[in-house]
Amino acid sequence: MTFRRSKTRISDKIIPILLGLCAMLSVFTTIGIVYTLLQESVIFFKEVPVWSFLTGTTWSPILPPKEFGVLPLLGGTLLITGIAIIFAVPIGLACAIYLNEYAPARVRGVVKPVLEVLAGVPTIVYGYFALETVTPFLQKIFPDMGIFNALSAGLVVGIMVLPMISSLSEDAMRAVPKSLRHGAYALGATRFEVALKIVLPAALSGVVSSFVLAFSRAIGETMIVTVAAGATPQLTLNPLESIQTMTSYIVQVSMGDVPRGTIEYGTIFAVGLTLFVITFLLNILAQWVARRFREEY
């Protein structure tokens, strides 16, 4: 009995320490990433002014005359993300409403896992799906569209983030108490009115958070845009043209052709730091939205 009590006391002391070390590991990893980005970026920004980096409209760090304006990469990233969000938000929200309010339990048990399987497909597979299937289909509608273009890449990024929106939104709607639905039905509301005017507003914090997280995921996507969007850094709003995103540029330059310690090498970290700041702000926005619109029952 004494031995068992002593063993319990030892485990009560050791396990919290191990769990705390696991929690601190993520903190130290984040600190390490930020330190690496800042260290290399500071060296880069000693040679390239921050203002000209953020406001320049020409990105040509490899070929002369060298220009380091990040706006073409930022514009390409936002164009892909915008297409993805415009495609994924209405479809994902419609899927969530259907699964939560209309679908029989058997149908929901099949459709939701199938949707979530999409989240597990490697993004390189999505990239070749965009290149080999979506682009040829779109070229029948837009004959002038090139092989590499923003539209097909954006649509497939939208397909990739679709499960995130539908699954998280459906979970948020499912958490709404049934008493709210029953009260609305008692007042004569239709099922569609209950879904649109009762359930959706009550689950708004979770739904909007899923949108912001999907935006954050789309803006950091790498392989799909590397394979399907091309490598042409240009400032354009035409989705039929080839563009280059920040992530695909990092992949292009990280292939080993750029010597370490050069200004071209520093562009990897400067662009990476810019992307990190954008996704960090989006995550803060998602947390603020979740707290601001949270409904407690």
Side-chain angles (χ1 to χ4, degrees):
M1 187 71 179
T2 305
F3 172 74
R4 181 178 297 176
R5 188 176 298 169
S6 174
K7 187 177 179 181
T8 303
R9 287 176 180 172
I10 292 172
S11 64
D12 285 345
K13 291 180 180 177
I14 293 177
I15 289 177
I17 294 173
L18 293 176
L19 296 177
L21 288 175
C22 292
M24 293 304 295
L25 180 63
S26 61
V27 175
F28 288 130
T29 303
T30 305
I31 292 173
I33 292 172
V34 173
Y35 174 76
T36 304
L37 286 174
L38 286 176
Q39 184 186 32
E40 297 290 344
S41 297
V42 166
I43 298 172
F44 172 79
F45 286 121
K46 284 180 179 176
E47 301 189 43
V48 178
V50 176
W51 181 251
S52 56
F53 174 75
L54 294 176
T55 59
T57 56
T58 303
W59 181 257
S60 179
I62 308 296
L63 301 175
K66 296 185 178 181
E67 299 284 347
F68 298 95
V70 79
L71 282 182
L73 297 182
L74 183 61
T77 303
L78 293 179
L79 181 60
I80 293 285
T81 306
I83 294 170
I85 293 302
I86 290 171
F87 175 77
V89 163
I91 297 177
L93 189 57
C95 286
I97 293 175
Y98 171 73
L99 290 174
N100 192 63
E101 299 296 322
Y102 291 93
R106 183 177 297 178
V107 174
R108 182 179 179 276
V110 173
V111 174
K112 188 167 183 180
V114 170
L115 270 174
E116 291 174 347
V117 164
L118 286 176
V121 175
T123 55
I124 186 68
V125 176
Y126 278 120
Y128 282 101
F129 172 68
L131 190 65
E132 299 292 339
T133 304
V134 177
T135 296
F137 173 76
L138 291 175
Q139 282 177 325
K140 295 177 181 175
I141 304 172
F142 307 104
D144 296 333
M145 189 172 73
I147 294 176
F148 301 106
N149 60 86
L151 184 57
S152 61
L155 290 175
V156 175
V157 172
I159 293 172
M160 184 196 69
V161 300
L162 186 61
M164 179 182 291
I165 294 175
S166 61
S167 184
L168 293 179
S169 298
E170 201 270 338
D171 290 341
M173 292 177 186
R174 187 158 292 276
V176 175
K178 291 190 179 299
S179 57
L180 291 180
R181 295 179 175 84
H182 295 160
Y185 287 132
L187 293 173
T190 64
R191 182 177 285 190
F192 184 69
E193 288 173 332
V194 170
L196 207 63
K197 297 181 179 179
I198 303 297
V199 176
L200 186 57
L204 190 62
S205 65
V207 172
V208 175
S209 294
S210 75
F211 295 166
V212 178
L213 289 173
F215 190 94
S216 181
R217 177 69 184 86
I219 208 169
E221 170 48 33
T222 303
M223 293 312 300
I224 297 175
V225 292
T226 301
V227 172
T232 310
Q234 58 174 333
L235 204 54
T236 178
L237 291 176
N238 186 353
L240 305 183
E241 295 183 3
S242 171
I243 52 93
Q244 188 172 41
T245 66
M246 291 188 282
T247 52
S248 61
Y249 168 74
I250 293 173
V251 170
Q252 179 192 8
V253 181
S254 303
M255 300 300 287
D257 296 332
V258 175
R260 183 185 177 87
T262 60
I263 191 170
E264 293 83 0
Y265 182 77
T267 59
I268 298 173
F269 297 92
V271 173
L273 180 64
T274 307
L275 191 61
F276 177 82
V277 171
I278 293 172
T279 52
F280 180 69
L281 293 176
L282 285 172
N283 287 335
I284 292 177
L285 176 63
Q287 292 178 8
W288 178 81
V289 167
R291 286 196 300 269
R292 175 67 179 79
F293 297 102
R294 178 178 296 163
E295 298 282 351
E296 296 183 357
Y297 302 99

